[in-house]
Amino acid sequence: MKAPGKRALRVFRTKEALDGFMAWEWTVACRRAVARSGRFTAALSGGTTPVSFYVRLAAPGRGLPWDRTYIFQADERCVPSDHPDSNFGLIESKLLRHIPIPQENIYAVRAELGPEAAAAEYDARLRDFFGSTNGEIPRFDLILLGMGEDGHTASLFPGDAALAETRHLAAAVARAAPDHDRVTLTLPVIRAARVVAFLVAGANKAAVLKSVIDAPEKGPPAALARSSAGRTFYLVDQEAGSRLSSREQRSAGERVHVLQ
Ligand code: 6PG
């Protein structure tokens, strides 16, 4: 496995400041990608943490090239898109319906097929889009992730077989009720990304964030989900960052931990 890329962590006093910084990171990654390849590819997560960021990103006046932007999903629950637990339903309602992105630029997991078929179909569509027909792993420009209290990210849960998947780009994940079966990008796809961005907020994430930061290669799935050649950063609020004790540098009123 290639040596991991750089990691950085920023602690913000408010979620608003965190979202603003992520909007800036998105804009930089987007403009760089469009200048380099003519397009920007991003995979988005569900959950509650990114909602306010999606709302902020959808605000008019950013001048983002949405016609050159391609939106994918980091993971999905196998429910209809109008189900309250649908990640696509969330991303569509908070971001996609508010921006001038062509429908053909949106690659949603086809959850209605059920986990196995949806994973296979998404895998095939990813290979087709990225032209990775002979096995190489597609390289997203940015993958936006959250972190569960158990250390899961996307739908890669501790101890789940999907964590060991190295051939497929997407995997089915069986979950017991009240959760739902899921489809997730696999670790090789996340590790190939140019930028992996984590948004983490709330005191309930402090312990898991510390385990991720302090044990980069042995920790939970969220610790393994880092770019191998690009950048991984963690944007966290003060509550989530409250148990971090690594080296820090103060700059611009935020605590920036420069990680190995
Ligand atoms: C999902 C998400 C998941 C999420 C974490 C954190 O489908 O549930 O993709 O990986 O990012 O569970 O969720 P919160 O942001 O709600 O804490």
Side-chain angles (χ1 to χ4, degrees):
M1 192 177 292
K2 286 177 72 174
K6 296 188 185 65
R7 297 192 306 164
L9 178 138
R10 280 182 183 268
V11 183
F12 296 89
R13 289 198 184 86
T14 65
K15 185 65 169 51
E16 188 183 7
L18 186 159
D19 291 340
F21 191 86
M22 184 62 225
W24 178 77
E25 283 281 5
W26 175 285
T27 303
V28 169
C30 177
R31 294 205 169 122
R32 274 190 189 145
V34 170
R36 180 181 60 243
S37 66
R39 70 185 189 187
F40 174 55
T41 58
L44 303 182
S45 285
T48 56
T49 307
V51 170
S52 52
F53 165 65
Y54 294 150
V55 172
R56 186 169 186 134
L57 191 64
R62 288 194 177 282
L64 288 170
W66 290 115
D67 60 329
R68 305 283 195 90
T69 298
Y70 295 81
I71 298 289
F72 295 77
Q73 290 190 262
D75 66 329
E76 181 55 285
R77 294 88 177 271
C78 291
V79 293
S81 60
D82 61 356
H83 189 288
D85 292 346
S86 166
N87 285 345
F88 183 74
L90 171 87
I91 295 165
E92 200 283 329
S93 67
K94 299 299 180 187
L95 175 62
L96 300 179
R97 72 173 64 165
H98 305 289
I99 56 176
I101 186 168
Q103 278 305 308
E104 61 269 23
N105 289 24
I106 299 170
Y107 286 74
V109 172
R110 291 195 50 202
E112 71 279 7
L113 299 175
E116 297 295 342
E121 194 276 340
Y122 195 46
D123 182 295
R125 226 167 347 130
L126 287 167
R127 291 184 192 281
D128 180 56
F129 177 88
F130 284 98
S132 51
T133 47
N134 58 356
E136 80 269 15
I137 302 292
R139 199 165 185 210
F140 277 96
D141 294 307
L142 185 143
I143 297 181
L144 183 72
L145 298 173
M147 203 180 285
E149 289 184 58
D150 62 356
H152 82 265
T153 192
S155 286
L156 295 167
F157 290 86
D160 192 279
L163 271 174
E165 178 57 58
T166 55
R167 278 186 322 111
H168 294 110
L169 307 179
V173 179
R175 298 290 291 168
D179 199 346
H180 309 282
D181 290 343
R182 298 176 175 226
V183 172
T184 186
L185 290 180
T186 54
L187 270 180
V189 178
I190 295 173
R191 294 178 74 89
R194 289 185 174 84
V195 175
V196 175
F198 278 92
L199 305 186
V200 190
N204 62 321
K205 302 292 178 73
V208 69
L209 179 64
K210 180 167 175 57
S211 73
V212 166
I213 297 302
D214 290 350
E217 290 306 316
K218 299 189 296 296
L224 307 177
R226 55 185 292 195
S227 174
S228 53
R231 294 172 57 222
T232 302
F233 56 79
Y234 308 83
L235 304 185
V236 311
D237 69 3
Q238 276 186 323
E239 292 73 18
S242 59
R243 292 183 56 173
L244 293 175
S245 57
S246 58
R247 278 181 303 115
E248 67 185 58
Q249 296 164 0
R250 287 191 180 283
S251 69
E254 294 144 6
R255 284 192 292 140
V256 179
H257 295 258
V258 181
L259 309 170
Q260 73 282 5

